[in-house]
């Protein structure tokens, strides 16, 4: 009978047992079945034996052999008592199926193992004992960050899940979770207030409207600023209910309330609005009077208000689509016909193969509220225009194929939409501290030029499309081109050279000079406003000294001198009179040059893909102390109200909406949820 005892597949110590598609590692009484990642911890039980001989395989710690008849034996599981075949006379079945039973099938052992793992986890985490308050806080943060409804704490499925994870957690009610949300909101607000109090520059505001399913709207205000490390930030400051735009002065009241709550009456730089600046009341006497006397408005308020660039792109795009709405209807109906029946779709593909038409664009229906999907639908349809026409000859019930004239209109419309689509993607691709104000000028002037040329185009179709949209963008360009130009002038890769080039293209060489002068004067006036703030950084007149070896002019100011080595300081101690003499001689020999002049005269910085304009100003702050303060505030102007990570492809009205659930909540709770979600994303 000893020959009938199978040779052990596994030794008692750290050896391998191979079964069908999985491996078993044995470490003493701990057996890990890698095939299905089930860990089996065998209990101390008597090993099975046959005629006094111990079997060495670890699997026999879970089975006993039972004689059946005629030398046949069966293996009985000691956990669930299930009997499995083992040997029939001189032939045995091996132990692979026994291993599989323990690893996969034995429910009693699995339940026992699950209980043991839970006990082991608790015993190994005695020092990290369960904390009801901490768990409740994390639950509130989860609800805020994931936009879950507060009544999730009452949902049976969620309650069951929490109980399975941590039975000791006592689920809180809605009132308690509301209290936690408010506590998080107040704590994060306090942190943000401390941070804002220490920023070296000023803040610019964005104003957005949030629609609801009721007759009210919310106004959301966010601050954009650059911190002491030259990193760009945007944080929501206030969300308040207002019957806007029906109510007069609603925006002004919201801004006043926000500035008061955050104690920023003397830090406001610009305000960026969703729509045309002239349609709002931010120039109201109430708002101006509320601002601190120390708050210097940019260029005396001439460019205090900025329109949202992303919204004007959306408005122009929807205008383009409106000019071909009849053709869009035909294309939508055609795609519906093709997609409604497999036979139609197969025939469409068959015709495309016969005509040798290949396209990388997928033919699919659009989302009517997102113009980018409509553009992609039209782009794909253009590739298959011949197929649509031929398809009519196969089906009598298909009659919505666009005509040749219709396709011409679509082609012209797609030419403008391609430009708008690329410019919109530029906004979305500018992440983090790269969405600075300098990045918007180039796309804006190119679009202005394209629309201007379209107005004078000889093609009636193109001119017909442009007539409806040129007025919208021309108004934006008139209101905001100076702010855009000042911002790009603060980019050392372009400075005023880009402005001069763009204006020569738009206005012609003769008229460009007067528009360039407007920007020149605006930049100089703004610089003078910063230079006239001695309480921020005392400065004396700046002059050009001897040119050092690197070829760059050295700027001296009346501020604190750079730290020198002891030997240098000693050598310079007896040269004070000589330095004063040089100053007098240099001053008499040439006119004063302020930082702005020196910056604009300096050669342009090389354009590289990884160039970071904020890093450049950080590295040149000592060289241009006054101009860098001005650049900090200018580059932080939010040219778009759409934040990083948000979709720029908005409905025609440019508004975003609260969902039905949040629309039903109290206004103060809506504010706590929306603000806290924004702030928690940046918390450690």
């Amino acid at each position: 009978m000893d020959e009938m005892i199978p040779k052990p597949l596994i030794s008692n110590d750290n050896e391998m047992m191979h079964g069908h598609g999985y491996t078993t590692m044995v470490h003493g009484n701990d057996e890990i079945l890698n095939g299905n990642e089930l860990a089996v911890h065998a209990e101390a039980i008597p090993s099975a034996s046959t005629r006094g001989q111990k079997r060495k395989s670890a699997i026999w710690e879970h089975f006993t052999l039972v004689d059946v008849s005629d030398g046949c034996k069966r293996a009985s599981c000691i956990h669930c008592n299930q009997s499995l075949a083992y040997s029939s006379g001189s032939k045995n079945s091996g132990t692979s199926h026994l291993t599989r039973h323990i690893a996969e099938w034995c429910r009693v052992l699995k339940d026992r193992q699950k209980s043991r793992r839970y006990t082991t986890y608790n015993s190994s985490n005695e020092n990290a004992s369960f904390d009801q308050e901490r768990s409740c806080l994390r639950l509130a943060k989860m609800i805020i960050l994931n936009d879950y409804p507060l009544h999730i704490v009452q949902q049976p499925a969620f309650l069951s899940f929490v109980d399975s994870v941590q039975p000791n957690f006592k689920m809180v009610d809605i009132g308690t979770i509301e209290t936690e949300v408010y506590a998080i909101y107040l704590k994060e607000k306090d942190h943000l207030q401390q941070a804002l109090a220490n920023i070296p520059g000023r803040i610019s505001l964005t104003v957005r409207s949030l629609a609801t399913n009721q007759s009210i709207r919310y106004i959301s205000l966010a601050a954009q600023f650059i911190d002491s490390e030259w990193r760009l930030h945007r944080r929501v400051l206030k969300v308040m209910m207002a019957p806007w735009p029906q109510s007069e002065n609603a925006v002004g009241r919201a801004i006043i309330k926000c500035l008061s709550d955050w104690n920023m009456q003397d830090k406001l730089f610009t305000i960026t609005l969703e729509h045309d600046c002239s349609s709002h009341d931010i120039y109201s006497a109430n708002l101006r009077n509320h601002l601190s006397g120390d708050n210097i408005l940019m260029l005396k308020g001439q460019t205090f208000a900025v329109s949202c660039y992303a919204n004007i792109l959306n408005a122009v795009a929807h205008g383009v689509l409106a000019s071909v709405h009849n053709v869009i209807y035909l294309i939508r109906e055609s795609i519906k016909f093709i997609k409604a029946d497999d036979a139609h779709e197969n025939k469409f593909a068959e015709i495309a193969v016969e005509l040798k038409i290949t396209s990388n664009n997928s033919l699919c229906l659009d989302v009517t509220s997102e113009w980018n999907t409509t553009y992609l639908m039209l782009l794909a349809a253009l590739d298959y225009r011949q197929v649509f026409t031929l398809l009519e000859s196969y089906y009598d019930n298909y009659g919505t194929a666009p005509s040749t004239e219709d396709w011409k209109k679509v082609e012209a419309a797609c030419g403008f939409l391609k430009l708008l689509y690329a410019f919109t993607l530029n906004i979305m691709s500018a992440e983090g501290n790269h969405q600075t104000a300098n990045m918007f000028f180039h796309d804006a002037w190119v679009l202005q030029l394209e629309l201007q040329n379209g107005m004078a185009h000889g093609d009636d179709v193109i001119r017909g499309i442009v007539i409806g949209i040129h007025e919208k963008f021309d108004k934006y360009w008139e209101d905001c081109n100076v702010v855009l130009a000042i911002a790009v002038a603060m980019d050392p890769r372009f400075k005023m050279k880009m402005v001069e080039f763009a204006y020569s293209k738009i206005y012609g060489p003769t008229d460009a000079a007067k528009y360039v002068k407007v920007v020149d004067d605006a930049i100089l006036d703004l610089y003078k406003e910063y230079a006239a703030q001695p309480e921020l950084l005392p400065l004396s007149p700046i002059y050009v000294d001897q040119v050092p070896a690197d070829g760059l002019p050295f700027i001296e100011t009346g501020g604190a001198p750079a730290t020198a080595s002891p030997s240098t300081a000693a050598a310079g101690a007896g040269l004070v009179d000589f330095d004063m003499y040089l100053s007098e001689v240099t001053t008499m020999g040439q006119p004063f040059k302020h930082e702005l002049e020196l910056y604009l005269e300096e050669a342009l910085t090389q354009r590289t893909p990884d160039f970071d304009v904020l890093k450049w100003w950080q590295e040149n702050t000592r060289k241009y102390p006054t101009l860098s303060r001005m650049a900090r505030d200018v580059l932080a102007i939010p040219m778009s109200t759409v934040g990083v990570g948000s979709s720029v492809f908005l409905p025609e009205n440019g508004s975003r909406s609260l969902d039905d659930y949040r629309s039903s909540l109290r206004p103060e709770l809506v504010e706590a949820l929306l603000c806290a979600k924004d702030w928690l994303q940046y918390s450690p």
Side-chain angles (χ1 to χ4, degrees), residues 477-527:
W477 179 256
E478 180 183 344
D479 289 339
C480 300
N481 83 89
V482 174
V483 181
L484 293 168
I486 293 174
V488 81
M490 293 295 100
D491 189 330
R493 298 170 298 174
F494 303 114
K495 302 183 181 179
M496 282 299 296
K497 299 300 181 184
M498 172 60 77
V499 179
E500 294 165 4
F501 172 75
Y503 283 5
S504 68
K505 295 289 186 181
I506 295 173
Y507 303 113
T510 304
D511 294 335
K514 66 179 182 180
Y515 291 98
V516 171
K517 187 178 185 306
V518 171
V519 178
D520 269 329
D521 292 345
I523 293 177
L524 180 58
D525 289 345
L526 183 60
Y527 172 77

Side-chain angles (χ1 to χ4, degrees), residues 48-62:
S49 60
T50 302
R51 296 185 179 180
Q53 187 118 6
K54 284 190 175 182
R55 299 181 181 276
K56 295 182 180 179
S57 174
I59 197 64
W60 294 111
E61 295 180 358
H62 304 282

Side-chain angles (χ1 to χ4, degrees), residues 320-337:
V320 172
L321 295 177
S323 67
V324 292
H325 70 279
N326 290 331
V327 188
I328 293 175
Y329 170 80
L330 295 176
I331 292 175
R332 282 186 184 135
E333 292 302 311
S334 295
I335 295 176
K336 289 178 185 177
F337 177 83

Side-chain angles (χ1 to χ4, degrees), residues 252-455:
R253 287 201 305 271
I255 294 171
I256 291 172
K257 177 66 174 170
C258 179
L259 295 176
S260 297
D261 287 353
W262 292 85
N263 193 27
M264 295 191 304
Q265 294 93 328
D266 61 343
K267 285 193 173 184
L268 183 60
F269 192 52
T270 63
I271 298 176
T272 303
L273 301 150
E274 286 182 309
H275 304 291
D276 180 10
C277 302
S278 60
S279 66
H280 294 282
D281 63 323
I282 62 168
Y283 290 109
S284 68
N286 288 338
L287 177 58
R288 285 179 173 272
N289 293 337
H290 185 76
L291 294 175
S292 168
D294 296 329
N295 195 104
I296 301 175
L297 297 182
M298 184 178 180
L299 300 176
K300 299 178 181 179
Q302 295 177 44
T303 50
F304 181 46
V306 181
S307 294
C308 175
Y309 176 70
N311 270 40
I312 193 64
L313 290 184
N314 278 299
V316 172
H318 283 287
V320 172
L321 295 177
S323 67
V324 292
H325 70 279
N326 290 331
V327 188
I328 293 175
Y329 170 80
L330 295 176
I331 292 175
R332 282 186 184 135
E333 292 302 311
S334 295
I335 295 176
K336 289 178 185 177
F337 177 83
I338 294 167
K339 298 291 185 180
D341 193 310
D342 288 343
H344 299 169
E345 196 161 8
N346 292 335
K347 177 57 69 176
F348 186 89
E350 181 184 318
I351 298 173
V353 172
E354 291 176 0
L355 296 175
K356 298 181 180 180
I357 296 174
T358 57
S359 174
N360 293 325
N361 298 315
S362 177
L363 193 65
C364 58
L365 284 171
D366 62 334
V367 179
T368 57
S369 61
E370 298 176 6
W371 67 263
N372 57 311
T373 63
T374 306
Y375 162 63
L376 296 175
M377 178 186 74
L378 297 180
L379 208 60
L382 275 173
D383 292 340
Y384 295 102
R385 68 186 85 176
Q386 294 175 277
V387 182
F388 285 103
T389 302
L390 286 178
L391 196 65
E392 280 189 320
S393 62
Y394 289 92
Y395 299 101
D396 295 335
N397 59 338
Y398 172 56
T400 56
S403 65
T404 302
E405 188 65 24
D406 290 335
W407 288 118
K408 186 178 179 181
K409 292 178 181 178
V410 171
E411 196 165 20
C414 283
F416 289 105
L417 291 172
K418 180 181 180 180
L419 202 62
L420 296 167
Y421 184 68
F423 292 166
T424 308
L425 290 181
N426 286 344
I427 301 174
M428 296 178 68
S429 63
E431 298 181 356
N433 63 356
H434 293 94
Q435 202 176 40
T436 44
N438 60 298
M439 63 169 283
F440 294 88
F441 180 81
H442 179 75
D443 291 353
W445 81 258
V446 170
L447 182 55
Q448 172 70 3
L449 181 62
E450 286 294 323
L451 296 178
Q452 193 170 282
N453 292 339
M455 290 291 291

Side-chain angles (χ1 to χ4, degrees), residues 603-643:
L604 299 180
T605 300
Q606 185 179 0
R607 298 193 302 275
T608 56
D610 59 345
F611 178 78
D612 187 334
V613 67
L614 297 184
K615 184 179 180 181
W616 188 93
W617 278 105
Q618 182 182 28
E619 294 171 348
N620 288 272
T621 298
R622 292 178 62 85
K623 186 176 183 180
Y624 302 114
T626 301
L627 191 60
S628 65
R629 289 193 287 112
M630 171 177 150
R632 185 196 300 273
D633 293 338
V634 169
L635 293 173
I637 296 175
M639 294 299 179
S640 170
T641 61
V642 181

Side-chain angles (χ1 to χ4, degrees), residues 24 61 113 166 168 171 247 417 427 450 459 468 576 586 601 610 613 647:
T24 303
E61 295 180 358
Q113 180 61 29
Q166 178 50 268
N168 293 327
M171 184 55 67
S247 174
L417 291 172
I427 301 174
E450 286 294 323
D459 192 319
V576 175
T586 307
E601 289 175 0
D610 59 345
V613 67
S647 174

